[in-house]
Amino acid sequence: MSQPSFWWQRYGTLAQMAQAAVALLGFVAILFQINEIRTNNRAASARQAFLGYTDLAFKNPKFAQPDYEQIKAAGRDEQVQYESFVTYFLYACEEAISAFAGKREWQASCDYDLKPHLPFLCEKNAAQPAYLATYGAETQQWIKTSLKTASVTPPDCKLGKT
């Protein structure tokens, strides 16, 4: 004769159910840990990129606070170096702003450093629109908004007093 069974006995003993619950909690904890590691790695990578840009700016003050007319007059090599400098700067800002989306100081720092490069970006965008397309949509919008805010427009692309 079979004994009456409780509803939970169909799913195993209490020990088996407790073991399954602990395993599920462990799995969820691992998922949280993986997400935290990913976030920390992204932040470390962004800090490293921005630190690289800061070092580059320290070593090249003529590019960090450029006289764009003088750079254009200096010749092709200096123009290519300057373009690479700006490209590195935009990459570092893109990484930092993305990794630290909730921290306004990163955006403010990038805004401050972007302003002297607006004449170059204006001319570059007018001559080669594909240049800005190499950046994410947020970065493209940030640059376009900064150009508009500073009233830097083609054909002269001059930085006014704002």
Side-chain angles (χ1 to χ4, degrees):
M1 204 167 194
S2 74
Q3 295 183 357
S5 63
F6 296 101
W7 65 270
W8 50 266
Q9 286 178 323
R10 286 185 227 154
Y11 302 106
T13 66
L14 284 176
Q16 289 171 327
M17 285 189 276
Q19 186 178 17
V22 168
L24 182 61
L25 287 173
F27 181 71
V28 170
I30 288 171
L31 290 178
F32 280 120
Q33 189 173 19
I34 289 171
N35 189 44
E36 189 65 24
I37 289 169
R38 183 180 302 131
T39 301
N40 289 341
N41 283 345
R42 180 124 197 228
S45 176
R47 281 187 181 97
Q48 189 65 35
F50 204 82
L51 185 61
Y53 156 70
T54 303
D55 183 55
L56 194 60
F58 179 76
K59 292 176 181 173
N60 297 281
K62 67 182 178 184
F63 296 149
Q65 290 295 317
D67 178 345
Y68 186 51
E69 293 303 319
Q70 187 178 5
I71 290 171
K72 287 192 299 187
R76 179 149 171 72
D77 288 349
E78 193 154 322
Q79 289 175 21
V80 169
Q81 287 177 323
Y82 177 65
E83 182 176 332
S84 295
F85 179 90
V86 173
T87 298
Y88 195 102
F89 161 67
L90 293 176
Y91 168 75
C93 283
E94 190 170 55
E95 288 296 306
I97 291 168
S98 175
F100 305 110
K103 297 190 176 190
R104 178 75 184 118
E105 62 270 18
W106 287 93
Q107 180 71 52
S109 178
C110 288
D111 286 343
Y112 181 81
D113 286 354
L114 176 67
K115 191 172 181 179
H117 304 295
L118 291 176
F120 163 74
L121 290 168
C122 175
E123 282 187 17
K124 190 70 171 176
N125 191 43
Q128 298 174 349
Y131 176 77
L132 284 185
T134 63
Y135 298 97
E138 295 86 13
T139 301
Q140 291 177 43
Q141 188 58 45
W142 169 54
I143 293 168
K144 289 175 183 176
T145 301
S146 297
L147 287 167
K148 186 175 181 181
T149 301
S151 300
V152 179
T153 57
D156 62 343
C157 292
K158 299 288 183 201
L159 189 60
K161 293 182 181 182
T162 57

